[in-house]
Amino acid sequence: MDIIEIIKTRRSIRQFTAEPVTEGMIEKVLEAGRWAPSGLNNQPWRFSVITDAALKGDISKMTHYSKIVLDAKVLIPVFLDTEKSYHREKDLQGIGACLQNMLLEAHALGLGAVWLGEIIKSSEQIRDLLGLGKEFDLMAVIALGHPGEKPKSGKRKELGELWSSGNSLQKAAGVQPAV
């Protein structure tokens, strides 16, 4: 698939089959995240990889999405290493790009994945469970596995609805959309 097809066909997958995810596939997903852009190339993201059922069970108690956590073959918590941070907002943008890269690579590999954000309310508990220092702030958890569902096609607003010139969505002479 070319990149625009991967982007347009990627969907959040919340149900997974029992088929295991290979270490090679996990490594490819992490590698895609590693190559995300970041301010000053500081690469402030850090990953954990969780496949242990008992550990997933403990984590499932920390989120409203416990079924997804338990069903996934792999959980990838993604952290901001605050000791490597130079500008929090820019680092958060970089981590967003990192997460997106990982989701796109998972889809390109035929895997299903979902970006769990609600779980960050339990950042401290997850950090403690994994034995990590206070410098690691949980940004999201990616739940990963072979798709156990066929997602519906996505809808997006028309491109013309997404640009603005000042307070108006009307094209003004000499003003180009901010895309």
Side-chain angles (χ1 to χ4, degrees):
M1 286 190 275
D2 72 339
I3 191 67
I4 195 68
E5 183 180 351
I6 292 169
I7 292 168
K8 286 182 174 182
T9 59
R10 188 214 62 81
R11 297 287 175 273
S12 293
I13 301 296
R14 295 171 178 87
Q15 296 175 4
F16 307 97
T17 69
E19 185 179 352
V21 176
T22 68
E23 284 186 28
M25 290 176 138
I26 295 168
E27 197 167 295
K28 286 180 179 182
V29 169
L30 295 172
E31 184 71 7
R34 184 172 79 93
W35 279 95
S38 61
L40 299 179
N41 196 28
N42 68 334
Q43 303 169 48
W45 41 78
R46 299 294 178 267
F47 311 117
S48 288
V49 175
I50 300 168
T51 58
D52 180 75
L55 197 50
K56 289 191 301 179
D58 290 340
I59 292 171
S60 75
K61 296 171 188 165
M62 300 178 195
T63 177
H64 292 297
Y65 299 103
S66 58
K67 183 172 178 354
I68 296 169
V69 167
L70 291 170
D71 204 25
K73 295 300 150 213
V74 180
L75 297 177
I76 304 175
V78 179
F79 298 89
L80 167 64
D81 182 346
T82 60
E83 291 183 350
K84 303 298 180 198
S85 181
Y86 86 99
H87 188 279
R88 186 163 176 88
E89 288 79 13
K90 289 179 183 179
D91 291 336
L92 296 177
Q93 292 170 352
I95 287 176
C98 170
L99 291 162
Q100 178 72 352
N101 280 7
M102 294 168 77
L103 294 171
L104 292 172
E105 179 64 13
H107 178 56
L109 293 169
L111 296 171
V114 62
W115 169 341
L116 300 174
E118 175 269 347
I119 199 167
I120 64 174
K121 71 179 178 12
S122 301
S123 179
E124 188 174 324
Q125 296 94 321
I126 290 175
R127 184 178 58 226
D128 291 346
L129 182 67
L130 299 177
L132 300 173
K134 293 191 182 300
E135 69 273 17
F136 296 104
D137 284 345
L138 181 66
M139 296 289 108
V141 172
I142 292 181
L144 185 66
H146 290 274
E149 65 178 315
K150 184 163 174 59
K152 297 176 185 172
S153 62
K155 294 182 181 178
R156 293 293 185 266
K157 294 178 181 180
E158 292 296 323
L159 189 56
E161 296 178 61
L162 300 175
W163 70 275
S164 172
S165 60
N167 295 326
S168 170
L169 289 178
Q170 302 296 317
K171 276 191 178 177
V175 177
Q176 294 299 312
V179 282

